[in-house]
């Protein structure tokens, strides 16, 4: 399987969206770790489980740490009989090298263990339910791994027959993967599984994406796989932008602080996935490459995803910009503008800048920037002090300093002569001095201050 000053207001939405995204991914310890309630029906469920696998000293519950379901006891109506079934993930005390899944069915008022299956790793990562063939029953998609080894992740897809005849839990697919999501990429009303994985041939890594679709004969690859940037080390989830032509966005990390975004869509004519920003010959994606690693997101909540692209990169840029660790011997490093860009929906593949900003990911603040200045500014960070200085630019050459951005985690400086503008959030502050050259370029202390946003 093979983007005079016009300062815009999108950064606040950007940061709010990122904050909400992070918060929605967090779960309380009670939600994540709680076993079934020891009273009533849930007590009966636990008793039925222990009757099948042994007393509490003979097993250890295992908890998925990704996705919607974070309990070792997962309740869901798998077979469409309007009664929940239970999947319980555990390891035997005598053998903790393999996670097992015990399936229990509620018959009348009583729980019965009907299946006990060996898993595909010593860690269960996620549990997903999806009706992949629109037959009213759900397939079960499980992610497994070996603890501490991200490269060992395995995805399995199972069909379950529990309400009729002999209970069964049939494995439809078993494959290594790096990222996956249940999507309807071809917009036909039937969900598919979008899978990203890698293969290593003669010590060379190649990354791919493909769709898995259910047919009468089972779950199979749908169309050809598409080649992705081979330098991706980690994929940071999959976001599907729905519409007449669904588009999937996949952020990928490359090194410590560099990121790019794979954009995937389904070509109905050629019946294949397309990844328009990856060059098929070089297997690289330079179109969406940026450093620092800023995630893509719908920053203005208009339903259209924006990709943050470093603006003004040199033609030979490969993502290997200096980090704070390996740039300590250098006096300064370039800070590129971020162009928040959208891609077309008719045939995704062209990036159109929508807004611009200067992002300090280390100190977590943003300076919103109008498009009129995208080619008239150069910014550099002093690697010793962390101060970012913004210069005027002409024909790509650095001119006079316009203003500097100084971050303080301990509030505003004591001496008011140290700055002409100041932005505060609690004890956090960004301040600086506007030069005469900056004023001549149309900047004011007020508009710089109002365009600084913390996250």
């Amino acid at each position: 399987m093979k983007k005079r000053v016009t300062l815009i207001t999108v950064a606040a939405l950007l940061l709010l969206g990122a904050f909400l995204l992070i918060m929605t991914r967090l779960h309380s310890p009670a939600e994540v770790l709680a076993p079934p309630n020891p009273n009533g029906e849930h007590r009966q469920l636990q008793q039925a489980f222990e009757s099948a696998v042994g007393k509490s000293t003979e097993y250890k519950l295992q908890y998925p740490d990704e996705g919607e379901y974070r309990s070792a006891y997962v309740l869901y109506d798998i077979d469409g009989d309007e009664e929940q079934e239970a999947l319980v993930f555990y390891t035997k005390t005598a053998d903790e090298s393999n996670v097992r899944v015990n399936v229990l069915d509620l018959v009348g008022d009583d729980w019965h263990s009907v299946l006990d299956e060996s898993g595909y790793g010593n860690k269960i990562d996620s549990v997903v339910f999806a009706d992949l063939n629109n037959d009213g029953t759900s397939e079960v998609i499980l992610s497994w791994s070996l603890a501490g080894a991200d490269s060992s992740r395995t995805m399995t897809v199972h069909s379950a027959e529990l309400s009729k005849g002999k209970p069964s839990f049939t494995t439809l697919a078993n494959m290594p993967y790096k990222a996956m999501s249940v999507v309807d990429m071809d917009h036909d009303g039937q969900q598919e599984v979008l899978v990203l994985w890698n293969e290593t041939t003669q010590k060379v890594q190649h990354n791919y994406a493909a769709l898995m679709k259910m047919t009468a004969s089972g779950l199979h690859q749908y169309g050809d796989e598409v080649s992705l940037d081979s330098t991706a080390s980690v994929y940071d989830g999959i976001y599907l932008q729905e519409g007449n032509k669904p588009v999937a966005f996949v952020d990928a990390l490359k090194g410590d602080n560099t990121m790019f975004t794979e954009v995937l869509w389904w070509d109905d004519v050629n019946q294949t996935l397309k990844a328009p920003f990856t060059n098929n010959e070089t297997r690289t994606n330079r179109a969406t490459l940026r450093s620092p690693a800023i995630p893509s997101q719908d920053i203005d909540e208009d339903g259209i995803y924006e990709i943050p692209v470093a603006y003004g990169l040199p033609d030979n840029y490969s993502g290997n910009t200096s980090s704070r660790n390996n740039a300590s011997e250098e006096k300064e490093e370039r800070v590129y503008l971020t162009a928040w860009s959208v891609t077309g929906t008719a045939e995704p593949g062209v990036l159109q800048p929508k807004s611009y900003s200067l992002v300090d990911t280390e100190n977590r603040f943003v300076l919103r920037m109008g498009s009129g200045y995208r080619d008239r500014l150069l910014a550099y960070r002093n690697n010793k002090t962390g101060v970012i200085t913004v210069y005027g630019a002409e024909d790509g050459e650095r001119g006079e300093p316009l203003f500097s951005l100084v971050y303080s985690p301990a509030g505003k400086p004591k001496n008011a002569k140290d700055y002409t503008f100041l932005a505060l959030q609690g004890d956090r502050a960004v301040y600086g001095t506007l030069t005469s050259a900056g004023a001549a370029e149309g900047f004011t202390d007020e508009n710089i201050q109002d365009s600084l946003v913390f996250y």
Side-chain angles (χ1 to χ4, degrees):
M1 296 183 68
K2 333 219 206 290
K3 267 186 275 261
R4 304 242 73 108
V5 178
T6 304
L7 297 170
I8 57 180
T9 60
V10 299
L13 292 172
L14 178 168
L15 302 171
L16 177 60
F19 174 76
L20 291 175
L21 177 64
I22 293 171
M23 292 304 294
T24 56
R25 288 180 175 175
L26 297 178
H27 296 255
S28 69
E31 178 185 358
V32 173
L33 298 176
N37 189 311
N39 299 312
E41 177 184 325
H42 288 165
R43 178 174 178 79
Q44 294 175 9
L45 170 57
Q46 185 172 355
Q47 289 176 337
F49 169 69
E50 292 187 346
S51 177
V53 305
K55 55 188 178 181
S56 60
T57 57
E58 297 181 65
Y59 71 88
K60 181 179 180 181
L61 294 176
Q62 299 296 320
Y63 300 83
D65 58 9
E66 299 175 9
E68 180 178 354
Y69 300 95
R70 305 294 185 95
S71 173
Y73 287 76
V74 177
L75 299 175
Y76 194 87
D77 180 11
I78 302 172
D79 57 7
D81 65 353
E82 299 184 356
E83 292 281 0
Q84 289 184 325
E85 287 73 46
L87 302 180
V88 185
F89 298 94
Y90 72 102
T91 54
K92 294 181 177 179
T93 304
D95 178 17
E96 296 187 357
S97 63
N98 184 259
V99 176
R100 303 184 64 85
V101 54
N102 189 272
V103 184
L104 299 100
D105 195 17
L106 184 63
V107 181
D109 295 327
D110 298 320
W111 284 99
H112 297 273
S113 173
V114 296
L115 289 168
D116 194 87
E117 300 283 340
S118 177
Y120 293 78
N122 61 13
K123 184 171 176 287
I124 176 70
D125 293 324
S126 65
V127 181
V128 177
F129 300 99
D131 185 356
L132 298 176
N133 56 357
N134 293 344
D135 67 348
T137 65
S138 294
E139 280 67 48
V140 185
I141 305 171
L142 303 176
S143 171
W144 315 83
S145 66
L146 297 174
D150 180 72
S151 61
S152 68
R153 291 162 68 98
T154 297
M155 180 192 76
T156 59
V157 184
H158 310 267
S159 63
E161 179 58 72
L162 304 174
S163 59
K164 299 177 182 178
K166 184 178 180 181
S168 65
F169 200 66
T170 304
T171 300
L172 304 175
N174 170 12
M175 63 176 291
Y177 85 107
K178 300 292 287 186
M180 60 77 60
S181 183
V182 176
V183 295
D184 181 6
M185 287 292 289
D186 59 356
H187 201 57
D188 68 346
Q190 180 180 337
Q191 293 180 312
E192 301 89 35
V193 183
L194 175 61
V195 187
L196 281 66
W197 77 97
N198 62 27
E199 296 178 1
T200 301
T201 304
Q202 297 180 344
K203 298 183 179 181
V204 178
Q205 175 178 294
H206 298 295
N207 295 342
Y208 303 96
L211 285 181
M212 304 291 290
K213 194 176 187 74
M214 281 281 282
T215 66
S217 61
L219 184 66
H220 306 285
Q221 182 175 321
Y222 181 39
D224 294 332
E225 67 268 16
V226 63
S227 294
L228 305 180
D229 189 309
S230 61
T231 65
S233 56
V234 177
Y235 291 111
D236 189 24
I238 299 173
Y239 172 84
L240 184 70
Q241 179 177 290
E242 299 182 353
N244 291 332
K245 187 179 291 297
V247 180
F249 296 81
V250 190
D251 285 342
L253 286 170
K254 174 182 178 179
D256 294 333
N257 199 27
T258 303
M259 179 176 279
F260 58 88
T261 302
E262 297 285 12
V263 175
L264 301 167
W265 61 281
W266 178 256
D267 183 345
D268 289 314
V269 175
N270 296 298
Q271 293 287 287
T272 187
L273 279 178
K274 292 292 185 79
F277 298 124
T278 294
N279 184 295
N280 287 329
E281 295 182 0
T282 64
R283 295 179 183 262
T284 58
N285 179 343
R286 293 190 70 258
T288 65
L289 194 63
R290 68 264 189 187
S291 182
I294 306 169
S296 55
Q297 58 195 285
D298 179 7
I299 61 173
D300 50 10
E301 299 181 346
D302 63 351
I304 300 175
Y305 231 47
E306 286 85 26
I307 301 173
V309 179
Y311 181 78
L313 291 176
D315 291 337
N316 62 352
Y317 179 78
S318 63
N320 299 317
T321 55
S322 299
S323 67
R324 286 305 299 262
N325 291 331
N326 60 24
S328 59
E329 297 180 0
E330 300 292 334
K331 182 179 179 180
E332 62 183 9
E333 61 181 320
R334 175 82 178 270
V335 181
Y336 290 95
L337 284 179
T338 295
W340 294 91
S341 305
V342 296
T343 181
T345 56
E347 185 171 321
V350 178
L351 285 174
Q352 296 291 339
K354 191 176 181 181
S355 59
Y356 297 82
S357 61
L358 191 64
V359 183
D360 187 326
T361 57
E362 181 174 340
N363 297 312
R364 297 182 296 135
F365 70 85
V366 169
L367 176 68
R368 302 169 301 194
M369 190 62 60
S371 61
Y373 265 95
R374 64 185 181 183
D375 298 317
R376 299 169 60 188
L377 298 178
L378 291 173
Y380 291 84
R381 181 201 302 276
N382 184 300
N383 284 324
K384 183 176 181 179
T385 65
V387 174
I388 296 175
T389 302
V390 179
Y391 299 85
E394 187 173 348
D395 296 328
E397 298 295 326
R398 190 187 328 195
E400 297 184 57
L402 307 181
F403 56 89
S404 291
L405 302 172
V406 184
Y407 175 77
S408 170
K412 64 181 181 180
K414 296 179 180 180
N415 192 343
K417 294 181 180 180
D418 291 340
Y419 59 91
T420 62
F421 61 84
L422 170 70
L424 287 168
Q425 183 196 61
D427 291 334
R428 303 173 64 201
V430 174
Y431 60 93
T433 300
L434 178 65
T435 69
S436 57
E441 285 292 334
F443 286 99
T444 68
D445 291 313
E446 182 179 10
N447 62 36
I448 296 175
Q449 180 174 303
D450 290 346
S451 297
L452 284 165
V453 181
F454 298 87
Y455 67 97

